[in-house]
């Protein structure tokens, strides 16, 4: 559920109604198979047309992986890993760094070396996720990891321990998989990286973390129907797209996406790519920033409350709190916290959220809240689909093609030249 | 060293010269003991007047703490912990979560519960850092941690295991320390939280992590002299303050601070508080955002390259690379990376930085680079002092008092009311 009450003073009902026409156009562009985005909208129907054979294959391979390994290394960057990481950190906190390791998302020797040290005496399985196989970060990490594993395992055993998620037929990673007999999952041609969390890209790592991926898809499917109707009033996903465009036009150039739970930090990161890459082009685009509250209230809070009024916020709140940490009573009460004794820590956190959303609203920062009912695979499936569709609609409303990313090559070409890559 | 060549097309030499007059005024305000910031500038002279007795005390207590514990828990939030965390994660990567634990920087039951579980069979020492002792996050964490330790240790033993960093004479934490006989360090009255990293607030946790704090202070002292002269040409610290104000006035409302090394992530966070809280008031202030490159080039890169031209960047680069992870040669070369074989991973990272700074500049994003010679305590001391002084000067140039934070109470008052705190 999206709560938009704290945008009320900033946007009139009439403005929402008027932008409804633009949202309708965006909706048409999205479903029109002849628009500029055609060939990139395969993600729309994934939840409805859930592929039972694929789900079974993911579950069965994940099961064998979990059994045969002490450590599962997921190699990917950007859209190839942020969705999976968001789901795993949120739903199975504490697993990353113990059984699940992420690699290939930076070019940091210390990180790779530290990982190899940690894996020395472990049984390893690697899932490398790369459409092309030549993106520098994951390609480097995979080369080093494969080299490491070749010393540990015979070629025959390696076949059970490396799983590639890549293009159906093209690219270096496809050739590597085929030449070595590694098992593979397919990244559909019509699904871009930042929209791929509900494909094998996101689902296989989730399954390896023990997450019920059918529940994720079931949640996405519910959201599919909840956000199907082209109506800004009833369709919260479209309303979110509409409101953020209205706020942007009124000079709110920065959107802070903030959860109140450190475990959900990577949802912020996933969201940042989804919206930043979809909208940031042609000299325009809302700047997506993230905060972890309440932590960041003690760094960014002052500026949000009283700085330049070019900010709006979207909060991510889980309505059903954990009940895992009671505040004890203290005879002395020198810290004056006895008024909270017997309450859950997360209860205080929820009140902090309520206070922040009101205080920021009163300070001139419009804000919305995305309420998740529970911290479950089902609700996360809803969330993923909600924001994917919102990003597509929002991008079209803002006048760009939400499915391309022409600017990401600029630095790479310069880097290849500096590195002396042949032909660059 | 601050490299500003990629701001050249955006700012003229004349503009720099003109703002020099404003910088001079800012400089006068900073050193004028009668300005509005008087009473908050105790941090300025810390490196020069390094307190040998205090340093010895910090080192000796830290030494005993390291010997007597399996786990050191640092409780603090915002300015009470970000500097220490930045130094520890940067200089002793891998220690956090093993020997050093941070707490009290959120209101997340799962985090505290997880910490207590991890500490069950460990010998613990706690350093709680709080000027007042009643800030909700650290106060809650400390109450829960003290309660946990009281079951584990006798009151006599507890005296060796809890160290408070707090006000000299006032506040709940001072009373708790005195009543229980806990050892304590003093947070000077004339040093605000975000400027406190070179006091016991930052130095004691660093010493507990084995960092040579005299080297940190020695670096800060060198920077003290390097940034003493009021001259925009020769004083890089003042030039940074001048340029970011000029860029802000030209519509560059967002500053991205980006390192290319995940270990330095918390330097970004420390920097965000320092500048956001110092400047974000009176309806103005540069929005400080952080990125971890190259990771975030795969999420934010598109928008930075081609989105709204309201961004500038400051990169943090360590010139002396680690040599810890060689790229192996591969007979097949299906990933086409053999042109990098025999090179260090961090060499590629450095080339990525060079490519990014040029590509963003050409794309309309002015950027500067802060070069650290090495990843050492000395250089980190330089960095801390550089940005502290730059934040003070920059704030005065932008027309605000860089030392207050009137907006941070707004949500707290509402929260106390929602929680039913007596008198709120």
């Amino acid at each position: 559920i999206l709560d938009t009450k704290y945008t009320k003073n900033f946007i009139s009902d009439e403005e929402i109604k008027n932008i409804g026409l633009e949202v309708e156009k965006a909706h048409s562009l999205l479903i029109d198979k002849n628009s500029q985005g055609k060939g990139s909208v395969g993600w729309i129907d994934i939840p409805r047309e859930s592929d039972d054979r694929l789900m079974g294959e993911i579950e069965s391979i994940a099961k064998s992986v979990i059994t045969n390994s002490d450590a599962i290394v997921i190699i990917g960057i950007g859209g190839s890993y942020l969705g999976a990481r968001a789901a795993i950190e949120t739903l199975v906190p504490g697993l990353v760094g113990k059984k699940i390791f992420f690699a290939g998302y930076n070019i940091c020797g210390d990180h790779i070396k530290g990982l190899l040290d940690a894996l020395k005496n472990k049984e390893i399985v690697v899932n490398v996720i790369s459409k092309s196989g030549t993106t520098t970060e994951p390609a480097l990490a995979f080369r080093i990891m494969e080299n490491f594993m070749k010393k540990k395992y015979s070629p025959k055993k390696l076949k059970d321990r490396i799983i590639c998620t890549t293009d159906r037929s093209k690219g270096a990673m496809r050739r590597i998989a085929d030449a070595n007999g590694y098992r593979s999952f397919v990244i559909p041609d019509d699904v871009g990286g930042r929209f791929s969390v509900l494909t094998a890209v996101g689902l296989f790592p989730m399954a390896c973390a023990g997450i019920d991926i059918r529940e994720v898809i079931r949640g996405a499917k519910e959201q599919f129907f909840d956000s199907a109707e082209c109506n800004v009033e009833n369709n919260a996903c479209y309303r979110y797209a509409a409101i953020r465009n209205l706020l942007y036009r009124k000079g709110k150039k920065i959107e802070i996406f903030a959860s109140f739970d450190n475990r959900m930090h990577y949802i912020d990161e996933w969201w940042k790519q989804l919206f930043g890459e979809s909208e940031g082009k042609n000299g325009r685009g809302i700047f997506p920033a993230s905060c972890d509250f309440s932590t960041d209230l003690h760094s960014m809070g002052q500026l949000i409350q009283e700085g330049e009024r070019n900010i709006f916020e979207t909060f991510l709140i889980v309505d059903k709190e954990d009940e895992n940490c009671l505040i004890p009573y203290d005879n002395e009460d020198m810290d004056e916290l006895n008024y909270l004794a017997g309450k859950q820590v997360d209860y205080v956190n929820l009140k902090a959220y309520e206070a922040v959303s009101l205080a920021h609203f009163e300070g001139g920062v419009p804000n919305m809240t995305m309420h998740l009912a529970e911290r479950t695979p089902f609700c996360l499936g809803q969330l993923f689909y909600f924001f994917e569709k919102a990003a597509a609609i929002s991008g079209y409303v803002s006048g760009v093609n939400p499915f391309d990313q022409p600017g990401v090559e600029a630095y790479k070409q310069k880097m290849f030249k500096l590195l002396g890559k042949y032909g660059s």
Side-chain angles (χ1 to χ4, degrees), chain A:
Chain A
I1 308 165
L2 185 77
D3 182 347
T4 59
K5 69 171 175 291
Y6 287 145
T7 62
K8 285 265 156 73
N9 288 14
F10 300 89
I11 292 172
S12 70
D13 288 347
E14 204 186 330
E15 286 172 315
I16 300 241
K17 208 177 142 190
N18 286 341
I19 205 172
L21 297 170
E22 297 178 55
V23 170
E24 276 174 35
K25 272 188 211 151
H27 177 82
S28 301
L29 282 169
L30 186 60
I31 59 170
D32 177 2
K33 303 292 180 194
N34 293 318
S35 77
Q36 55 184 164
K38 72 173 172 178
S40 305
V41 290
W43 53 272
I44 294 181
D45 286 321
I46 287 175
R48 187 175 52 180
E49 298 168 355
S50 167
D51 181 339
D52 218 56
R53 197 197 51 76
L54 175 64
M55 299 294 277
E57 195 185 344
I58 289 174
E59 287 170 329
S60 117
I61 297 182
K63 203 174 161 188
S64 77
V65 162
I66 292 170
T67 313
N68 295 331
S69 68
D70 309 312
I72 304 166
V73 182
I74 317 287
I75 298 178
I77 194 167
S80 293
Y81 101 111
L82 284 170
R85 184 154 194 178
I88 293 169
E89 302 255 13
T90 299
L91 298 173
V92 205
L95 203 65
V96 175
K98 285 206 184 107
K99 172 115 190 182
I100 301 267
F101 296 82
F102 288 98
Y105 62 88
N106 58 27
I107 322 180
C108 189
D110 174 76
H111 184 248
I112 300 181
K113 187 184 171 297
L115 181 61
L116 296 185
D117 289 346
L119 297 178
K120 212 161 254 175
N121 301 309
K122 294 206 157 112
E123 298 297 331
I124 313 164
V125 169
V126 166
N127 175 214
V128 54
I129 305 160
S130 177
K131 181 94 169 158
S132 67
T134 50
T135 301
T136 307
E137 293 87 344
L140 274 177
F142 181 67
R143 174 180 278 226
I144 292 166
M145 188 60 62
E146 195 188 26
N147 186 271
F148 176 80
M149 290 174 80
K150 277 179 177 166
K151 293 173 187 156
K152 214 174 153 95
Y153 301 110
S154 69
K156 187 167 172 293
K157 281 195 172 161
L158 218 53
K159 287 187 195 178
D160 284 336
R161 299 197 166 273
I162 292 179
I163 296 132
C164 306
T165 305
T166 188
D167 191 85
R168 190 182 306 275
S169 56
K170 297 183 306 290
M173 188 52 65
R174 168 51 59 199
R175 290 195 294 278
I176 290 170
D178 292 347
N180 293 283
Y182 300 148
R183 284 172 297 181
S184 64
F185 291 107
V186 168
I187 305 177
D189 283 333
D190 55 358
V191 179
R194 60 187 177 273
F195 290 89
S196 71
V197 61
L198 300 174
T199 70
V201 169
L203 295 177
F204 181 62
M206 288 186 221
C208 288
I211 293 169
D212 184 343
I213 58 172
R214 289 182 197 259
E215 277 294 290
V216 175
I217 293 292
R218 197 170 67 83
K221 189 174 180 178
E222 180 156 310
Q223 189 60 49
F224 173 92
F225 289 110
D226 284 351
S227 58
E229 195 194 347
C230 184
N231 180 323
V232 183
E233 294 295 320
N234 303 329
N235 181 339
C237 170
Y238 283 32
R239 196 159 74 251
Y240 176 66
I243 289 176
R244 60 198 301 285
N245 271 283
L246 286 174
L247 291 171
Y248 182 60
R249 292 173 194 176
K250 286 167 187 274
K252 306 294 179 191
K253 305 283 192 175
I254 298 161
E255 179 176 8
I256 294 176
F257 191 85
S259 66
F260 276 70
D261 182 334
N262 289 20
R263 294 171 291 189
M264 303 177 100
H265 170 78
Y266 276 90
I267 296 180
D268 310 354
E269 297 302 316
W270 172 82
W271 171 91
K272 260 155 74 172
Q273 183 192 12
L274 182 60
F275 281 87
E277 226 169 60
S278 298
E279 296 182 335
K281 52 197 75 161
N282 304 353
R284 33 193 297 113
I286 296 167
F287 184 88
S290 66
C291 280
D292 294 320
F293 288 157
S294 66
T295 303
D296 291 341
L297 292 169
H298 296 254
S299 57
M300 296 291 291
Q302 165 63 35
L303 178 134
I304 298 170
Q305 191 71 48
E306 299 188 336
E308 184 158 346
R309 304 296 73 190
N310 57 355
I311 302 169
F312 69 101
E313 293 174 301
T314 299
F315 299 118
L316 176 59
I317 291 295
V318 177
D319 288 332
K320 191 177 170 202
E321 305 148 36
D322 284 350
E323 301 197 348
N324 49 17
C325 193
L326 217 59
I327 300 165
Y329 183 82
D330 186 280
N331 277 323
E332 318 289 339
D333 197 31
M334 280 191 280
D335 55 8
E336 299 161 22
L337 288 176
N338 269 354
Y339 76 105
L340 297 175
K343 296 233 165 39
Q344 291 288 337
V345 168
D346 283 8
Y347 166 81
V348 180
N349 205 22
L350 189 65
K351 295 300 162 191
Y353 149 68
E354 291 172 13
V356 165
S357 59
L358 176 57
H360 288 182
F361 168 69
E362 289 180 359
V365 180
N367 60 76
M368 298 178 265
T369 300
M370 163 63 84
H371 288 271
L372 289 195
E374 299 178 83
R375 202 167 41 81
T376 57
F378 178 84
C379 291
L380 217 53
Q382 289 180 300
L383 177 144
F384 284 138
Y385 196 83
F386 180 97
F387 284 117
E388 283 181 356
K389 194 149 189 214
I393 293 292
S394 186
Y396 276 132
V397 169
S398 82
V400 300
N401 173 4
F403 301 115
D404 66 0
Q405 52 283 330
V408 302
E409 293 302 317
Y411 88 90
K412 292 184 192 175
Q413 294 313 320
K414 291 188 196 304
M415 179 176 74
F416 292 143
K417 201 166 175 184
L418 285 169
L419 288 168
K421 186 179 183 181
Y422 179 80
S424 70

